[in-house]
């Protein structure tokens, strides 16, 4: 009787778990726009300078001497912030105080301790730490050291005085822990470096009243313009594609429990020295003529070379280059006259400023419209492309443009449907696998209990036989 009750209990548990998994899968399908949880905790008050002092031995240092994950905190420290680098994905460390009590992530006193754990490190701030020998227990990387943070700051190469709108700059920054450079490769996972540009609101410049801009972030990952990963030198790729004028650059150092900033002196961003103009051809057998005009106020015209591309009305793209065989303040080139419609020109310029600094910049995109010629009995219509630019074309051309656009939308819809189908398939697989596992577990339990029951029956039968024999 008890076995039957257990089997029934397993059966109802199986049904409940299957229903729960199915409900969770359906909910997952409905909520495809969930966002990932925030990686970092909310920033707290910035640490004040000199609140965190270095451990004092013979010399000032940014590391506490330790052996076998043991270290000593001096009695003169009123507050300390430490970083422990550990293996990726490992559990947060445990700190053992001098009296043997343990400090964990889940038992900190919010009034005295702050603890931020990431996938590769623990950042711990302690007020009035207990003096004496401490020990850190966990998957701490053998090559890492216990770093004590003081006043983390950044030094950044100043922006050039002759910066040009559209220019792409490589800017490098170095992190310091008080006066000591931070060369620990793992520190790149701890800090985030951003730069914002604020208008000085000087009425003498065109950017008066402009909104603040978040331009880029610095990285030490060996990608983009950063040369070596983990060398302690952070690199920013600055594309100055915003309004000319006077700007105040502010560099932000974001740690999980603190924020620092570096304000550089304001600089003036000059207008792009390159201007594009196109003389369109009315003869469909003759090319269009493009002129690049160079303003010599801040650049040396003879040093400039150009690389560009033309996007034709039928979306085909053709590259072109203008080398230094042409001199002076203008450059000329031809553009094929393929058909009526919108032509787009993108140009990148390379050269030297009047101060001898090498630069590269992107010229704002230039577009022009070639109107279709009216033939006998032909009707023209005006269409607007995806960028809001009007173009006048024949009815046949307009129909072709609409057909191309419809084809693009249909292709995008097919891709989206395919992605949704793949998600549904993955969810169904999860449901099948989950239910299968539950059924297998239930069957195993059923057969185990059945074997146990048979064993019990055999045992009872054997004992009954023995008793009958004894009575005889």
């Amino acid at each position: 009787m008890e076995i039957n009750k257990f089997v029934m209990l397993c059966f109802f548990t199986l049904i409940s778990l299957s229903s729960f998994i199915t409900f969770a899968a359906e909910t997952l399908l409905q909520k495809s726009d969930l966002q990932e949880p925030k990686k970092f905790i909310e920033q707290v008050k910035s640490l004040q300078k000199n609140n965190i002092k270095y451990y004092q031995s013979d010399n000032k240092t940014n590391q506490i001497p330790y052996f076998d994950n043991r270290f000593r905190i001096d009695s003169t420290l009123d507050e300390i912030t430490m970083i422990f680098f550990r293996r990726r994905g490992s559990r947060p460390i445990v700190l053992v105080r001098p009296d043997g009590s343990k400090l964990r992530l889940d038992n900190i006193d919010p009034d005295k301790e702050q603890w931020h754990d990431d996938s590769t490190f623990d950042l711990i701030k302690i007020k009035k730490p207990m003096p004496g020998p401490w020990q850190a227990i966990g998957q701490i990387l053998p090559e890492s050291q216990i770093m004590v943070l003081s006043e983390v700051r950044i030094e950044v190469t100043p922006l050039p005085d002759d910066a040009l709108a559209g220019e792409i700059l490589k800017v490098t920054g170095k992190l310091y822990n008080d006066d000591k450079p931070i060369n620990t490769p793992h520190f790149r996972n701890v800090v985030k470096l951003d730069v914002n540009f604020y208008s000085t609101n000087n009425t003498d410049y065109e950017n008066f009243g402009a909104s603040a801009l978040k331009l880029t972030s610095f990285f030490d990952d060996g990608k983009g313009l950063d040369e070596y990963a983990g060398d302690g030198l952070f690199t920013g790729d600055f594309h100055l594609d915003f309004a000319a004028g006077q700007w105040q650059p502010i560099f932000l150092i974001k740690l999980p429990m603190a924020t620092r900033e570096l304000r550089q002196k304001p600089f003036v961003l000059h207008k792009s020295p390159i201007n594009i103009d196109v003389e369109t051809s009315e003869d469909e057998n003759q090319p269009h003529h493009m002129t690049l005009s160079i303003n010599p106020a801040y650049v040396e015209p003879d040093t400039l070379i150009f690389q560009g591309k033309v996007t034709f009305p039928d979306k085909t793209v053709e590259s072109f280059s203008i080398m230094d065989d042409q001199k002076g303040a203008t450059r000329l080139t031809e553009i094929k006259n393929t058909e009526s419609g919108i032509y787009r020109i993108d140009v990148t310029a390379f050269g030297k400023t009047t101060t001898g600094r090498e630069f590269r910049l992107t010229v704002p995109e230039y577009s022009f419209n070639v109107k279709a010629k009216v033939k006998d009995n032909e009707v023209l219509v005006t269409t607007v492309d995806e960028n809001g630019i009007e173009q006048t074309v024949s009815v046949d051309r307009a129909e072709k443009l609409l057909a191309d656009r419809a084809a693009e939308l249909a292709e995008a819809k097919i891709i989206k449907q395919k992605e949704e189908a793949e998600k549904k398939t993955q969810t169904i697989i999860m449901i099948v696998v989950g239910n299968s596992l539950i059924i297998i577990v239930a069957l195993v339990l059923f057969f185990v209990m059945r074997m146990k029951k048979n064993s019990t029956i055999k045992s009872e039968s054997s004992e009954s036989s023995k008793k009958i024999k004894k009575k005889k």
Side-chain angles (χ1 to χ4, degrees):
M1 189 67 179
E2 293 179 357
I3 299 298
N4 292 335
K5 288 182 177 179
F6 178 80
V7 172
M8 292 297 292
L9 180 62
C10 289
F11 178 76
F12 284 117
T13 302
L14 169 63
I15 294 175
S16 300
L17 288 174
S18 299
S19 301
F20 174 76
I21 291 177
T22 304
F23 173 76
E26 291 175 352
T27 303
L28 180 63
L29 286 174
Q30 293 173 358
K31 298 182 178 180
S32 59
D33 59 341
L34 292 178
Q35 298 178 348
E36 293 181 358
K38 291 182 179 178
K39 186 177 180 182
F40 291 102
I41 60 173
E42 185 179 359
Q43 296 174 1
V44 297
K45 258 187 166 182
S46 297
L47 305 175
Q48 298 299 319
K49 191 172 183 178
N50 298 326
N51 279 353
I52 304 171
K53 300 179 181 178
Y54 287 114
Y55 175 84
Q56 299 290 334
S57 54
D58 294 331
N59 298 306
K60 179 181 284 191
T61 177
N62 67 347
Q63 292 160 355
I64 291 181
Y66 78 107
F67 176 73
D68 191 24
N69 295 343
R70 293 180 175 87
F71 58 96
R72 183 177 183 84
I73 292 182
D74 193 85
S75 60
T76 60
L77 289 176
D78 294 325
E79 186 175 275
I80 189 170
T81 301
M82 299 176 289
I83 293 180
F84 298 84
F85 297 102
R86 49 181 168 78
R87 299 190 189 281
R88 180 174 292 276
S90 60
R91 297 175 60 185
I93 67 166
V94 176
L95 290 179
V96 181
R97 298 184 182 93
D99 63 358
S101 60
K102 298 177 181 62
L103 181 61
R104 305 173 185 267
L105 173 63
D106 56 1
N107 72 344
I108 62 172
D109 182 349
D111 295 330
K112 296 181 180 179
E113 295 115 7
Q114 292 173 270
W115 193 314
H116 174 78
D117 72 295
D118 199 82
S119 59
T120 58
F121 67 90
D122 288 291
L123 180 61
I124 305 167
K125 178 180 176 182
I126 306 173
K127 293 181 180 179
K128 297 190 178 298
M130 184 181 296
W134 289 58
Q135 185 170 6
I137 301 173
Q139 297 288 323
I140 299 175
L141 295 178
E143 70 272 16
S144 72
Q145 293 177 315
I146 303 170
M147 180 181 290
V148 182
L149 294 184
S150 181
E151 188 68 18
V152 178
R153 59 185 179 85
I154 187 173
E155 289 187 0
V156 180
T157 52
L159 298 178
D161 293 330
D162 54 355
L164 306 169
E167 188 173 356
I168 301 171
L169 294 176
K170 176 183 177 181
V171 180
T172 57
K174 183 75 175 176
L175 283 177
Y176 289 84
N177 190 14
D178 200 29
D179 295 326
K180 301 279 185 177
I182 299 175
N183 296 316
T184 306
H186 307 290
F187 201 78
R188 67 184 182 188
N189 297 324
V190 180
V191 66
K192 183 179 180 183
L193 302 176
D194 293 335
V195 59
N196 296 333
F197 281 74
Y198 294 88
S199 170
T200 58
N201 286 329
N202 189 329
T203 54
D204 295 334
Y205 296 95
E206 293 182 11
N207 67 330
F208 173 75
S211 301
L213 301 170
K214 179 181 178 181
L215 195 59
T216 187
S217 295
F218 283 79
F219 297 98
D220 184 21
D221 54 4
K223 298 178 182 179
L225 296 182
D226 188 58
E227 297 178 5
Y228 302 99
D231 62 352
L233 198 62
F234 290 78
T235 306
D237 184 356
F238 287 18
H239 191 186
L240 307 180
D241 57 347
F242 47 89
Q246 191 176 57
W247 294 92
Q248 166 81 66
I250 298 180
F251 300 87
L252 298 175
I253 308 171
K254 296 181 180 179
L255 297 167
M257 294 191 296
T259 300
R260 300 282 188 274
E261 70 176 38
L262 167 67
R263 290 175 177 262
Q264 284 192 342
K265 67 176 183 179
F267 77 104
V268 176
L269 181 66
H270 302 288
K271 290 183 178 181
S272 174
I274 314 297
N275 184 56
I276 301 177
D277 186 47
V278 174
E279 181 182 348
T280 60
S281 173
E282 296 182 359
D283 185 348
E284 59 185 17
N285 297 318
Q286 295 296 322
H288 309 295
H289 296 279
M290 181 177 71
T291 302
L292 297 175
S293 302
I294 304 169
N295 183 351
Y298 302 103
V299 301
E300 293 287 349
D302 290 349
T303 65
L304 265 66
I305 59 175
F306 300 88
Q307 179 69 40
K309 65 177 182 179
V310 179
T311 304
F312 296 95
D314 62 355
K315 305 299 182 183
T316 59
V317 178
E318 186 175 287
S319 299
F320 68 88
S321 59
I322 302 176
M323 306 306 290
D324 51 5
D325 52 342
Q326 295 187 42
K327 302 295 182 181
T330 58
R331 301 288 189 274
L332 303 174
T333 191
E334 295 179 346
I335 297 174
K336 289 192 301 184
N337 187 357
T338 59
E339 60 184 319
S340 61
I342 301 294
Y343 291 70
R344 291 184 174 84
I345 303 173
D346 295 283
V347 177
T348 301
F350 305 83
K352 289 183 179 181
T353 64
T354 52
T355 60
R357 182 177 63 85
E358 298 274 2
F359 73 88
R360 60 175 175 140
L361 64 80
T362 57
V363 182
E365 183 183 78
Y366 182 88
S367 62
F368 62 95
N369 180 17
V370 177
K371 295 183 179 181
K373 286 189 175 181
V374 181
K375 299 179 181 179
D376 293 339
N377 301 323
E378 185 177 37
V379 179
L380 298 182
V381 296
T382 300
T383 64
V384 180
D385 68 0
E386 62 272 15
N387 296 319
I389 299 176
E390 293 185 355
Q391 57 180 328
T392 303
V393 296
S394 65
V395 172
D396 292 340
R397 175 62 180 157
E399 290 177 351
K400 185 178 182 302
L401 291 173
L402 290 174
D404 292 342
R405 181 59 178 163
E408 292 176 1
L409 293 174
E411 184 179 358
K413 185 177 180 180
I414 291 172
I415 293 173
K416 185 177 180 181
Q417 289 175 346
K418 187 176 180 181
E419 291 175 350
E420 290 177 352
E422 289 177 353
K423 287 182 180 179
K424 289 181 179 179
T425 302
Q426 292 175 357
T427 305
I428 292 171
I429 292 173
M430 290 171 58
I431 294 172
V432 172
V433 172
N435 287 340
S436 299
L437 289 175
I438 294 172
I439 292 171
I440 291 171
V441 171
L443 289 174
V444 169
L445 289 174
F446 173 77
F447 284 113
V448 168
M449 296 305 297
R450 187 169 184 177
M451 291 174 62
K452 187 175 180 181
K453 178 182 178 182
N454 292 337
S455 176
T456 303
I457 292 173
K458 287 181 180 180
S459 177
E460 291 176 352
S461 176
S462 176
E463 289 180 1
S464 299
S465 298
K466 288 179 181 179
K467 290 180 180 179
I468 292 171
K469 286 180 181 181
K470 287 181 179 180
K471 287 180 180 180
K472 287 182 178 180

